[in-house]
Amino acid sequence: MESIKNRVDWTPQSTKHQLVTFSDLASVATHAFYVTIPENAFVSNVVVGTETAFAGNSATVNVKAGDSGDDDKFMTATTATTVGLYDFSTGNAIPMKQAITTGTYKNQVKLSVVIGTGAPTSGQLYWWAEFRFDPNIVWDQASLSDPA
């Protein structure tokens, strides 16, 4: 998965795009979903796309993204009851943080979907994390200069 080209070029990469539907959110609670990023990668963005607005039972649905140590490390609570695409720019706007690197949820980004009042009877969203590696600089300019 990791290649020298990707590391040198500082190329953004993406996890799988995970679907969350109203049937995954059957109770008033905080529901957690996870995607895994490669070891030593930095999260550069978390994207949540509400494809169909969550509705029914006077549902209040909010999403936030973080890791097992900090639920909103990457994105603070944002409503999912309207159709739209949400990312860092609607959340914390904190770029380039690593997910937790030890324990059960090592290298995982967590999406928390908080159902406040009634469980929704319709709606769905997709979400994913974008990540990058520190560039692997094989040389520096000083080592390329003429020593004479």
Side-chain angles (χ1 to χ4, degrees):
M1 174 166 194
E2 183 180 335
S3 74
I4 191 72
K5 178 174 175 16
N6 285 344
R7 291 183 66 101
V8 170
D9 291 344
W10 189 241
T11 305
Q13 299 174 63
S14 173
T15 63
K16 68 179 180 177
H17 291 52
Q18 190 176 64
L19 174 66
V20 178
T21 69
F22 71 93
S23 60
D24 298 320
L25 311 170
S27 62
V28 175
T30 299
H31 304 271
F33 303 91
Y34 296 88
V35 292
T36 302
I37 62 172
E39 194 161 338
N40 299 318
F42 288 85
V43 175
S44 58
N45 203 0
V46 176
V47 181
V48 177
T50 305
E51 189 173 69
T52 306
F54 289 98
N57 292 329
S58 301
T60 57
V61 181
N62 289 298
V63 295
K64 56 186 175 178
D67 59 24
S68 60
D70 182 356
D71 278 353
D72 62 358
K73 183 177 192 173
F74 306 120
M75 181 189 298
T76 56
T78 303
T79 186
T81 51
T82 56
V83 173
L85 195 62
Y86 308 98
D87 61 11
F88 273 154
S89 62
T90 56
N92 285 340
I94 300 174
M96 310 315 288
K97 286 192 171 187
Q98 279 189 294
I100 282 200
T101 56
T102 60
T104 304
Y105 297 102
K106 178 180 178 177
N107 299 321
Q108 292 191 331
V109 178
K110 174 183 180 181
L111 180 76
S112 298
V113 182
V114 182
I115 308 300
T117 53
T121 57
S122 64
Q124 70 179 30
L125 63 80
Y126 282 93
W127 81 285
W128 62 91
E130 295 172 358
F131 59 91
R132 298 172 187 241
F133 294 97
D134 270 339
N136 183 12
I137 303 303
V138 183
W139 60 84
D140 60 17
Q141 191 61 41
S143 66
L144 296 177
S145 61
D146 186 357

